[in-house]
Amino acid sequence: MRKLITTFAILIAVLVAGMTALVLLVNPNDFKHYMVQQVKKRSGYQLTLKGDLRWHVWPRLSILSGPIVLTAPGASQPAVTADNMRLDVELLPLLSHQLHISKVLVMHAVIQATPDAAAKITAAGPIAPDDNSSFAPSLGHWSLDIAHLSVANSLLIWQDPQGEQLNFRNVDLSLHQDSSRVGRYHLSTALTRNQQTFSIDFDGQMDARHYPYKLAFSVDRGSYQLQGVSLPEQGVKGETTFSAQWSPMSNTFDLNDFSLHANDSDFHGEASGVLAPALQLNLKLHSQNANFDQLLLSGGSQVSHAQTNSPEHVDAQTRTRTPVVVEKNNRGFIDWLNQSEITSQLTADQATWHGVTVKGLALNAHNALGMMSLNTLSGKVDDGHFAIQGKVDFRPDLATVDLHTDLQHIPLQVVQPLLQIPPVLRGEVSLQGDFSGQGLRGKDILTQWQGRSTIDLIGLDIPQMNVQQMVIDAVTRASNRVNSDPTLHPVIPDMRGNFSLGNGTLQLTRLEGENAQVSLNALGEINFAQHQLDITFNLLTRGWKGDPGMIALLANQPIPLRFYGPWNHLQYSLSVDRLLKNNLKSRLQQWLKDNDKAKHPSS
């Protein structure tokens, strides 16, 4: 045992002595010109090493450099600049005059992916073939091999096809590949834009055997987080996995087996398209649960569906429940739509939007440089469903729309908060109509849109007032000759009619309904711009008891009930006394006329 330990000690001593002698006898600057030549031969890039190279022996044998500059042929700006670089060198190949670099570590680098830093190839310049055998070239009696590349605490400057520069900060990249250029990578970075920060942390595999014609890679484990303005207070974060192929020569890409979890939402599907000169994207996604309130709305905008019936929340909803795509501080998203061509198909088993739960959501749309064709937008809400088709033009400062809407049995408790009007009605609404105008917010719909539609109000209830009971009470106060059946409970009949919308005013051209207790029709208008209304309900009530003449009068003479004035100070007019007096006067005139005929039969 003692001899074995002694033998190991001698070997270690010899190894340390040999490495020390090598470090002392071999000048790393002898490799300086050789490395510049190799980079030039392989890629055409010009490598500049400033300062002397020096050895570093712990924790591994390495060569340290000072500042470096890497410039593409014909470029006016360097592609890479870095404060220092470390080359981890394997000892045994070095003994046989081979420079075998196992790892390259670049610190505090600035990487520019901009047109000024790109290579300028002349028209007569040759194009190098995709030769895998050139991965480990030789020069004289030296050879070079790099298997592991790391970039730490660096900055990537990328310019999109429209000329806007994006700065990816805190770039940490680790890439380990074999001789066939297949390997694994780890990437983490953060992008700040429009007061929003997007950070990622990815692990995956990469296949660069056919680069620059094709680059295949996958994300086996990916986490991300998006925070900033126009987003929920807690941000948007989650995990993702996918496999992708990118063709740099044509800027095309394919995304498969895509899976994304965002807060409590999930999306699965695939995508393909072209990155430049303008983005072309074909997107097909499915979700089991898509909570858009947690993905698109700011923290103050999340109001639950249970609160929509509460009057104290009406003003808050009116101020905050606005889709992000139309907020002023999100104009960048609209500009992105105006510069892209996107075909999207999205289906969701369940989706949440402004506190409303939608089942079976289906979206099929095509955006061509800001002009969106809405082929399908449909879903189910409670026992009703909706379908919307048409066009939305995002190119003006205020989006313009031309839509056909079909709503069937949609709860009014859902519609009123979305349109930012007081939730004074209960029941269901059905309508079919065509509308056009400007803006996408609830206020814009009511004040900037115009169109015509049929409307059905089913199970209508006005909790704060009962129009039939108001008429019954007024009649019984005006006359003791009739009274109502106490066993009857007045119910507003289902009503059907037409309306037109324009200049912020909804004009009721016809609205009528009938049941066993009442016949009702309504005419008038609602001014959404000034928050005023003027509507008259004409009621024929049934179920009276008492004087037959009075019952006959009430059964044939509609009683007008008018509501008018501002919403927050509404007034009404119910002239039953005048109706009865006019009736008594007409009956007296008819009696006098009949009596006069009896006295003068010849006249």
Side-chain angles (χ1 to χ4, degrees):
M1 186 66 182
R2 182 179 299 176
K3 290 182 179 181
L4 182 61
I5 296 175
T6 302
T7 302
F8 276 121
I10 292 172
L11 290 175
I12 293 174
V14 171
L15 183 62
V16 172
M19 187 167 58
T20 303
L22 182 65
V23 170
L24 294 176
L25 296 176
V26 178
N27 184 359
N29 289 286
D30 294 341
F31 306 126
K32 191 173 183 179
H33 180 66
Y34 164 69
M35 289 189 290
V36 172
Q37 282 185 308
Q38 287 295 293
V39 172
K40 182 74 173 179
K41 181 179 179 180
R42 289 191 178 190
S43 64
Y45 281 64
Q46 180 64 46
L47 174 64
T48 303
L49 298 171
K50 299 181 180 180
D52 293 333
L53 303 180
R54 59 192 186 277
W55 288 111
H56 185 74
V57 297
W58 186 259
R60 56 183 61 87
L61 183 62
S62 306
I63 297 176
L64 300 182
S65 76
I68 67 167
V69 177
L70 187 64
T71 306
S76 59
Q77 296 289 332
V80 180
T81 59
D83 292 344
N84 54 71
M85 177 176 65
R86 190 185 80 193
L87 309 176
D88 291 348
V89 179
E90 295 188 9
L91 178 60
L92 294 179
L94 194 62
L95 295 174
S96 59
H97 300 284
Q98 294 180 346
L99 182 61
H100 192 156
I101 300 173
S102 61
K103 182 177 181 180
V104 176
L105 173 62
V106 179
M107 298 284 293
H108 305 293
V110 176
I111 307 168
Q112 297 193 74
T114 62
D116 291 339
K120 304 296 188 296
I121 301 177
T122 61
I127 299 176
D130 183 24
D131 186 4
N132 294 337
S133 63
S134 64
F135 179 75
S138 62
L139 180 65
H141 58 281
W142 295 100
S143 64
L144 179 65
D145 187 14
I146 301 175
H148 196 170
L149 172 66
S150 292
V151 179
N153 196 20
S154 299
L155 170 67
L156 169 62
I157 302 174
W158 180 71
Q159 183 170 313
D160 65 17
Q162 286 71 41
E164 183 176 359
Q165 290 190 355
L166 305 178
N167 295 334
F168 294 85
R169 303 185 183 276
N170 302 321
V171 176
D172 285 306
L173 171 65
S174 176
L175 172 63
H176 187 277
Q177 60 182 356
D178 57 24
S179 58
S180 63
R181 291 192 285 183
V182 176
R184 295 194 61 83
Y185 73 91
H186 172 263
L187 171 65
S188 64
T189 185
L191 168 66
T192 299
R193 185 187 184 193
N194 296 332
Q195 303 181 56
Q196 295 179 345
T197 300
F198 179 58
S199 58
I200 62 172
D201 192 332
F202 288 172
D203 282 306
Q205 303 181 47
M206 187 193 71
D207 183 352
R209 288 175 295 180
H210 304 290
Y211 184 83
Y213 301 100
K214 182 176 69 174
L215 177 66
F217 62 95
S218 65
V219 173
D220 301 329
R221 184 207 60 82
S223 61
Y224 68 93
Q225 185 171 21
L226 179 62
Q227 291 181 308
V229 299
S230 300
L231 291 169
E233 184 176 354
Q234 74 277 15
V236 178
K237 59 182 178 180
E239 297 79 35
T240 183
T241 58
F242 58 85
S243 59
Q245 287 189 356
W246 175 45
S247 300
M249 306 296 289
S250 59
N251 271 318
T252 59
F253 69 93
D254 287 285
L255 201 66
N256 299 300
D257 301 324
F258 176 72
S259 175
L260 175 72
H261 292 270
N263 294 348
D264 62 348
S265 302
D266 65 276
F267 299 92
H268 307 273
E270 57 188 26
S272 62
V274 180
L275 291 176
L279 176 65
Q280 299 179 26
L281 177 63
N282 296 313
L283 186 64
K284 186 176 182 180
L285 294 176
H286 175 74
S287 173
Q288 293 180 334
N289 178 58
N291 190 339
F292 294 109
D293 285 354
Q294 289 194 5
L295 299 180
L296 300 179
L297 301 183
S298 60
S301 300
Q302 300 180 41
V303 182
S304 68
H305 182 39
Q307 292 174 319
T308 58
N309 296 330
S310 178
E312 58 267 25
H313 291 286
V314 174
D315 293 338
Q317 294 174 24
T318 302
R319 292 191 303 267
T320 63
R321 306 194 75 177
T322 304
V324 166
V325 295
V326 295
E327 289 185 354
K328 293 182 179 179
N329 56 9
N330 205 48
R331 182 67 199 182
F333 174 76
I334 297 180
D335 292 339
W336 180 71
L337 287 178
N338 293 342
Q339 299 164 358
S340 308
E341 183 173 350
I342 304 172
T343 300
S344 56
Q345 297 181 49
L346 171 64
T347 57
D349 297 338
Q350 177 175 299
T352 304
W353 174 251
H354 286 274
V356 180
T357 299
V358 180
K359 302 283 188 179
L361 175 67
L363 169 65
N364 187 323
H366 176 73
N367 172 71
L369 303 179
M371 174 59 77
M372 178 177 291
S373 297
L374 196 60
N375 302 320
T376 302
L377 176 59
S378 61
K380 298 179 180 179
V381 179
D382 291 349
D383 294 329
H385 66 88
F386 65 89
I388 301 174
Q389 296 175 321
K391 296 183 181 296
V392 182
D393 189 353
F394 290 100
R395 293 171 297 181
D397 291 338
L398 197 61
T400 62
V401 300
D402 188 356
L403 301 175
H404 174 75
T405 60
D406 183 1
L407 309 183
Q408 297 295 327
H409 297 276
I410 300 298
L412 287 167
Q413 296 93 316
V414 170
V415 176
Q416 293 169 115
L418 290 178
L419 295 178
Q420 302 174 9
I421 58 179
V424 296
L425 302 177
R426 293 178 183 173
E428 298 176 350
V429 61
S430 297
L431 64 86
Q432 287 184 325
D434 297 294
F435 299 92
S436 61
Q438 293 182 311
L440 297 173
R441 297 176 299 178
K443 180 179 179 181
D444 298 330
I445 293 173
L446 297 177
T447 60
Q448 303 294 329
W449 287 23
Q450 54 275 334
R452 295 178 178 274
S453 176
T454 62
I455 185 171
D456 290 86
L457 297 174
I458 303 101
L460 184 63
D461 183 28
I462 310 175
Q464 298 180 8
M465 64 183 68
N466 188 319
V467 292
Q468 298 106 304
Q469 193 63 49
M470 293 174 67
V471 170
I472 291 172
D473 293 343
V475 170
T476 54
R477 283 196 303 268
S479 173
N480 58 2
R481 297 166 58 190
V482 292
N483 56 70
S484 64
D485 188 345
T487 62
L488 296 179
H489 300 283
V491 176
I492 299 178
D494 295 343
M495 305 183 71
R496 181 176 179 82
N498 303 295
F499 72 87
S500 61
L501 178 65
N503 299 320
T505 300
L506 186 149
Q507 186 76 39
L508 282 174
T509 55
R510 182 179 67 89
L511 187 64
E512 57 190 17
E514 182 177 3
N515 60 20
Q517 303 171 29
V518 64
S519 295
L520 185 150
N521 66 74
L523 295 172
E525 63 181 30
I526 304 175
N527 191 317
F528 295 107
Q530 300 179 7
H531 291 186
Q532 292 186 347
L533 62 82
D534 189 346
I535 297 178
T536 299
F537 294 91
N538 297 300
L539 293 92
L540 281 174
T541 57
R542 303 182 179 91
W544 296 102
K545 294 183 177 181
D547 182 82
M550 183 64 71
I551 294 176
L553 169 66
L554 295 175
N556 294 280
Q557 179 66 51
I559 299 177
L561 173 58
R562 179 191 176 200
F563 294 95
Y564 61 95
W567 292 354
N568 57 359
H569 190 62
L570 199 60
Q571 302 181 60
Y572 75 94
S573 172
L574 181 56
S575 303
V576 176
D577 290 342
R578 181 181 304 173
L579 177 66
L580 296 179
K581 290 180 179 178
N582 291 338
N583 178 70
L584 179 61
K585 182 179 179 180
S586 63
R587 290 175 64 185
L588 178 60
Q589 291 176 342
Q590 184 64 37
W591 180 84
L592 292 174
K593 183 177 180 181
D594 294 342
N595 188 57
D596 184 63
K597 286 183 179 180
K599 291 181 178 180
H600 305 85
S602 59
S603 53

